[in-house]
Amino acid sequence: MNILDELAWRGALNQMTDEAGLRKLTTEKHVGIYVGTDPTGDSLHVGHLIPFMMLKRFQLMGHKPVILIGSGTGSIGDPSGRNSERVLQSMETIQNNAKKLTAQMERMFGRDNFEIVDNYSWLSKISLLDFLRDYGKLFPVNQMLAKEVVASRLESGISFTEFTYQILQSVDFLKLYQNEDVQVQLGGADQWGNITAGIDLIHKIEGADAKVYGLTNPLMLKADGTKFGKSAGGAVWLDPEKTSPYEFYQFWFNQDDADVEKFLKFFTFLSQDEIAELVEAMQTHPEKREAQRRLAEEVTAFVHGEEAVKQAEAISAALFSGDVQDLTADEIKQGFSQVPQKSSPAAAENIIAWLVDTTGIEPSRRQAREDVQNGAITVNGQREQDLDAVIDPTSHFDGKYVIVRRGKKKYFLVNVAD
C-alpha cells in the first residue's frame, strides 16, 4: 500500500500540491519528509501530535522523517492562527525549550532513520543584506499579502517581522532540500500558504523540475464540532511533569463513542482489521469501553512508553476498587492530583482529632465518630472503625501522602509535611 492510501484511509489527508507526482515519488523511493515546530513552549500538547502521527507513519513505511526545531523562526513569531503579535522570548528560553522538545521527539521517533535539525544553524548566519538580496527579491508582496495566514491579519495588523515569517520558512524547506535530501513538507492546514511558498522558492532557485511537494492534515474536530486537544483542565501536554501519564491515559480513555473510530485511525498504528473489531465491540458492548481502553493504551505507549501504560492501568484499577495500598508514591501523586487536597504534620494522632482538627476532612467530631463507626472511613485502603485508632501519616507512600476515602467515592489526598 502506498503511504498516501494509508493516510487517506485514516482520514489524515487534507491538501496536496501534486498528488500524482507525490504518489509516484513515494512509490519509487523512500523520501525525506519534514515537519517543523517552533520552540515557543517547553512542551508539545496532544494537538501537536496530529502532523507527527502522520510523520511517524512515513517512518514506519521506510521513509526518513526530519523534524525541524525552529529556534530561528521561533525567535520572531509565526502569524498563523492568532490575531495579535507573539510575545518575543529570550534566546535562552527558546534554546531551553528546544532541548525539551528534542527529548520528546526522540522518545516518539527513536534515533534510527530519523533526524532533528534546528533552523537557527542557518538562519542566524544570513545577514540582512543577504536576506533581502537572495530571498526578498523572489517574493512578490502581492502574493505574500494573498496568503491566508497574512490576509487574516491585515485588519488587526501585522508587523513586518511576522510578515517575513513565510520567507524564513521557505528558506528552511530550501536548505533541507539542498542539504538533507528532503522533498516533502508536512504541516497543519494553516501552514498551506507557507508550504507552497517554500515550493515556489525551491523552483525559482533550483529549477522548475525540482521534485518537491507539500501536504497538510485536516483540522481535527470532535463529533460535537469542538476543536480536538483540550480537556476540562486545559491543554493535555506530552511533558509528564505538566500532564501525568495517568491523566494523559484518562484523556484518551474518556473520549466519546462518536469520536473513537476516528481517533483509533488517526492516533494509533493498529491495522484496519483491528480497528474494525474494536469498533464492532464498542457498538455491541459500549459499556465495556474496550475501544477507548485500547486507544488510551496505544497513544500513551507511543508518547510515554509501555511502563507508563502499566502504571496508568494500575492507578485506574486501584481507584475503582479502593485498594490503593500497593501504589507507589509517584502513582499516588498522579492518580490523586485532582481530588481535594489536605495537609498534615508527620506526627501520629488519634483518628478523630486527625480527621477533624488536623485535616478538616470531617466537619465535626460527632460526624467523624459516626462515619468511623459505620465503616465509612478508609485510610490508605484500610477501613478504620476503631475510635481509638492512631493515624501515622508517615506509614505509607514514602511518608509523603495519606489517602482517605469517605463513603464509596469521596477521596482526599493528605500531603504530609516534611
Side-chain angles (χ1 to χ4, degrees):
M1 178 186 291
N2 183 275
I3 181 66
L4 298 184
D5 296 322
E6 171 76 3
L7 294 175
W9 178 79
R10 293 183 182 273
L13 288 179
N14 183 35
Q15 295 167 293
M16 285 180 280
T17 54
D18 176 6
E19 181 176 355
L22 182 56
R23 181 177 293 275
K24 184 173 185 294
L25 179 70
T26 51
T27 300
E28 293 175 346
K29 61 177 286 192
H30 291 148
V31 302
I33 175 170
Y34 94 95
V35 170
T37 184
D38 286 345
T40 51
D42 60 4
S43 175
L44 301 174
H45 55 68
V46 292
H48 293 125
L49 273 179
I50 295 170
F52 292 115
M53 296 303 299
M54 293 176 66
L55 193 65
K56 183 67 177 182
R57 295 188 200 287
F58 273 90
Q59 184 186 41
L60 292 175
M61 296 188 75
H63 302 283
K64 181 183 178 181
V66 176
I67 291 178
L68 183 145
I69 303 289
S71 295
T73 42
S75 68
I76 71 163
D78 177 358
S80 62
R82 299 186 315 280
N83 292 318
S84 60
E85 294 285 314
R86 174 178 286 167
V87 177
L88 300 183
Q89 298 177 316
S90 69
M91 284 308 302
E92 180 181 2
T93 297
I94 290 171
Q95 289 167 0
N96 182 62
N97 291 346
K99 289 180 182 178
K100 292 187 176 181
L101 297 190
T102 296
Q104 291 179 3
M105 296 301 177
E106 288 179 343
R107 174 179 284 278
M108 292 186 288
F109 287 86
R111 300 197 178 190
D112 296 329
N113 192 36
F114 167 63
E115 189 169 357
I116 296 179
V117 297
D118 194 321
N119 64 10
Y120 187 80
S121 65
W122 58 79
L123 293 180
S124 62
K125 297 175 182 176
I126 301 174
S127 71
L128 174 60
L129 292 180
D130 288 340
F131 173 75
L132 296 173
R133 179 185 179 91
D134 297 340
Y135 305 115
K137 292 286 287 184
L138 301 177
F139 284 81
V141 171
N142 59 324
Q143 291 184 16
M144 295 177 70
L145 290 171
K147 299 290 185 182
E148 184 179 354
V149 292
V150 174
S152 62
R153 286 279 300 278
L154 289 179
E155 185 173 337
S156 60
I158 183 172
S159 70
F160 177 74
T161 297
E162 292 201 2
F163 180 63
T164 61
Y165 186 94
Q166 62 183 287
I167 300 180
L168 296 182
Q169 185 167 322
S170 299
V171 173
D172 290 343
F173 199 172
L174 172 67
K175 293 296 184 182
L176 292 177
Y177 173 76
Q178 292 173 331
N179 302 324
E180 303 292 341
D181 194 28
V182 168
Q183 293 177 266
V184 185
Q185 183 179 358
L186 167 63
D190 61 338
Q191 291 296 316
W192 179 250
N194 291 331
I195 292 172
T196 55
I199 291 172
D200 290 342
L201 177 63
I202 293 171
H203 285 158
K204 288 175 182 178
I205 292 179
E206 297 293 328
D209 60 345
K211 291 181 171 58
V212 285
Y213 306 89
L215 70 159
T216 63
N217 54 259
L219 177 67
M220 183 68 69
L221 296 176
K222 296 193 291 187
D224 61 6
T226 60
K227 191 174 180 180
F228 165 80
K230 300 282 187 178
S231 71
V236 179
W237 301 98
L238 306 194
D239 184 342
E241 295 301 317
K242 290 177 173 286
T243 299
S244 72
Y246 169 74
E247 292 170 316
F248 188 86
Y249 179 98
Q250 288 296 316
F251 168 78
W252 297 99
F253 182 77
N254 290 325
Q255 294 300 321
D256 190 270
D257 287 356
D259 292 312
V260 172
E261 181 176 4
K262 180 201 295 187
F263 291 168
L264 282 169
K265 288 180 177 180
F266 204 101
F267 293 104
T268 78
F269 304 102
L270 300 175
S271 68
Q272 295 189 22
D273 289 342
E274 287 175 303
I275 291 174
E277 290 176 4
L278 287 167
V279 172
E280 182 179 359
M282 179 181 66
Q283 294 169 344
T284 306
H285 297 289
E287 73 284 356
K288 293 184 177 180
R289 300 185 71 77
E290 291 180 14
Q292 282 92 337
R293 181 173 291 104
R294 190 64 185 279
L295 173 66
E297 291 171 353
E298 293 293 317
V299 188
T300 304
F302 176 59
V303 173
H304 295 297
E306 293 290 348
E307 194 58 38
V309 175
K310 294 178 183 178
Q311 190 176 58
E313 291 176 338
I315 296 170
S316 298
L319 283 171
F320 180 77
S321 66
D323 187 17
V324 301
Q325 55 262 49
D326 291 331
L327 295 178
T328 66
D330 179 62
E331 290 167 344
I332 291 294
K333 181 180 178 181
Q334 290 187 50
F336 291 86
S337 63
Q338 302 301 314
V339 306
Q341 308 277 308
K342 303 293 182 177
S343 61
S344 169
E349 191 174 8
N350 171 266
I351 187 171
I352 302 301
W354 188 80
L355 287 171
V356 179
D357 303 328
T358 301
T359 63
I361 290 173
E362 290 283 13
S364 68
R365 290 176 178 258
R366 182 193 61 77
Q367 185 65 56
R369 285 193 292 268
E370 182 178 318
D371 285 345
V372 169
Q373 288 177 321
N374 290 338
I377 297 294
T378 61
V379 179
N380 296 332
Q382 296 292 324
R383 180 175 283 109
E384 294 287 355
Q385 292 184 272
D386 182 359
L387 297 178
D388 295 321
V390 174
I391 301 300
D392 179 2
T394 64
S395 62
H396 288 75
F397 314 126
D398 298 336
K400 295 179 179 179
Y401 308 108
V402 180
I403 298 298
V404 177
R405 186 173 67 166
R406 190 177 68 200
K408 292 184 177 180
K409 297 182 178 180
K410 187 66 172 179
Y411 279 99
F412 298 86
L413 175 63
V414 181
N415 295 277
V416 181
D418 294 333

